[in-house]
Amino acid sequence: QVQLVESGGGAVQTGGSLRLSCRSTEKIYGLNTMGWYRRIGGDEREPVALQTNGGATSYARSVQGRFNVVRTDAQSENTVDLQMDNLKPEDTGVYYCYAVAGLSIYWGQGTQVTVSS
């Protein structure tokens, strides 16, 4: 069973930077999209930054120009990093790694990001 393992996150002040990393415990065959979602407060999870096969990326409007997603498909694993710059208090939430392969959807356990003003 493929698992997504996240690292990074933490607490920073407004304007600071954080980098989130995610790796699969084994190569995900048929991988289509990999990236990050987040949950802010009690809201539903929302897509933040995604990268599809071929390198196309999409970002939530609120993070465009501040976040950058980089995906790597290696022989034994798939990884996706999220570089977050110029962080704002409204970026505070739980960030989840996400991957889709065919009809299978994988989620990481979530990592907390806290931005203080």
Side-chain angles (χ1 to χ4, degrees):
Q1 176 77 15
V2 173
Q3 294 183 346
L4 300 179
V5 180
E6 300 155 347
S7 60
V12 294
Q13 292 186 326
T14 297
S17 298
L18 286 172
R19 188 176 185 88
L20 306 181
S21 295
C22 171
R23 65 169 183 83
S24 60
T25 53
E26 57 187 85
K27 187 174 180 66
I28 305 175
Y29 290 95
L31 181 64
N32 182 350
T33 299
M34 197 171 187
W36 295 88
Y37 274 63
R38 69 185 179 189
R39 187 194 306 273
I40 298 176
D43 295 343
E44 292 188 359
R45 280 184 285 204
E46 61 177 9
V48 176
L50 303 172
Q51 187 167 354
T52 63
N53 292 346
T57 56
S58 62
Y59 295 92
R61 185 172 298 181
S62 62
V63 308
Q64 285 180 351
R66 300 187 296 120
F67 289 14
N68 185 55
V69 63
V70 178
R71 169 182 153 182
T72 302
D73 298 328
Q75 264 194 325
S76 60
E77 64 180 10
N78 304 94
T79 66
V80 63
D81 290 351
L82 183 66
Q83 177 65 38
M84 305 184 292
D85 297 322
N86 191 21
L87 283 160
K88 304 176 180 180
E90 51 263 42
D91 294 318
T92 295
V94 181
Y95 286 67
Y96 297 89
C97 185
Y98 165 85
V100 177
L103 298 179
S104 298
I105 298 176
Y106 305 94
W107 292 99
Q109 76 279 9
T111 186
Q112 177 71 40
V113 171
T114 302
V115 186
S116 59
S117 57

